[in-house]
Amino acid sequence: MILISKKDIQFMKMCIDSSKTFSTCGKKQYAAVLVDEHDHIVGFGYNGGPKGFLHCNEGGCERFLENSQNGSVYDNCIAIHAEANALLHSDYSSRPTKIYVNGPPCFSCAKLIANSTLNTVYYLQDLDYKNWDDVKSFLLKANVQALRIDNGSF
């Protein structure tokens, strides 16, 4: 059994706090932190529109305007998700092994995670996310642990 450490809680708090500051999604605010084997931060990302586009909270996202269900198919989502931005803008030469995100990854982000050096995902539960069991199963098949941090931990 893997225990959630004080440092794990601190990284998750960082995701929660920074998502409120940086995320431009009109539905859910996420941030992700990449950490190497020595618990050094090597990447950070948040969900928001690509450069040159209106951000979601400025009317640039059809999902926001249509009030799409959380955890549903993201084909019409213009946002770059927090996990993808963290991987895109990280010091990947340091080989991150863990990612913290204040919500469960979607399937598209799970594929990116599976194809990276990450071996553990720490996430907060989202009861509105309907596809999490399938995504978690995929991560486990890719030898990536998915560890939930309970909201009551902090």
Side-chain angles (χ1 to χ4, degrees):
M1 181 175 159
I2 296 178
L3 296 175
I4 303 299
S5 72
K6 180 180 177 185
K7 199 72 157 173
D8 296 327
I9 301 297
Q10 290 171 320
F11 288 131
M12 187 58 72
K13 282 182 179 179
M14 182 179 170
C15 290
I16 294 166
D17 292 342
S18 58
S19 69
K20 295 172 188 172
T21 302
F22 293 102
S23 173
T24 61
C25 180
K27 293 180 76 67
K28 295 266 185 167
Q29 288 70 48
Y30 290 108
V33 176
L34 295 176
V35 175
D36 69 10
E37 64 189 66
H38 305 291
D39 282 340
H40 296 143
I41 296 170
V42 296
F44 170 77
Y46 57 90
N47 57 335
K51 64 181 178 181
F53 285 77
L54 283 177
H55 288 281
C56 302
N57 60 2
E58 299 170 332
C61 181
E62 291 181 32
R63 287 179 56 81
F64 180 63
L65 298 173
E66 294 171 2
N67 200 20
S68 296
Q69 181 180 7
N70 294 328
S72 60
V73 177
Y74 290 101
D75 289 343
N76 63 343
C77 177
I78 67 155
I80 310 300
H81 289 189
E83 303 92 328
N85 264 328
L87 288 165
L88 280 168
H89 302 291
S90 69
D91 176 10
Y92 207 69
S93 65
S94 60
R95 302 186 56 78
T97 58
K98 299 183 272 189
I99 187 169
Y100 297 82
V101 64
N102 58 311
C106 70
F107 187 63
S108 293
C109 290
K111 291 187 289 185
L112 294 173
I113 291 166
N115 203 42
S116 72
T117 59
L118 297 169
N119 58 35
T120 309
V121 174
Y122 292 88
Y123 68 96
L124 291 181
Q125 184 175 16
D126 181 350
L127 296 175
D128 294 332
Y129 191 165
K130 305 301 180 203
N131 298 331
W132 175 238
D133 289 338
D134 294 335
V135 173
K136 185 175 181 180
S137 176
F138 172 80
L139 287 169
L140 292 174
K141 286 179 188 173
N143 295 316
V144 177
Q145 290 184 304
L147 301 175
R148 187 179 82 218
I149 295 179
D150 292 320
N151 292 3
S153 298
F154 40 90

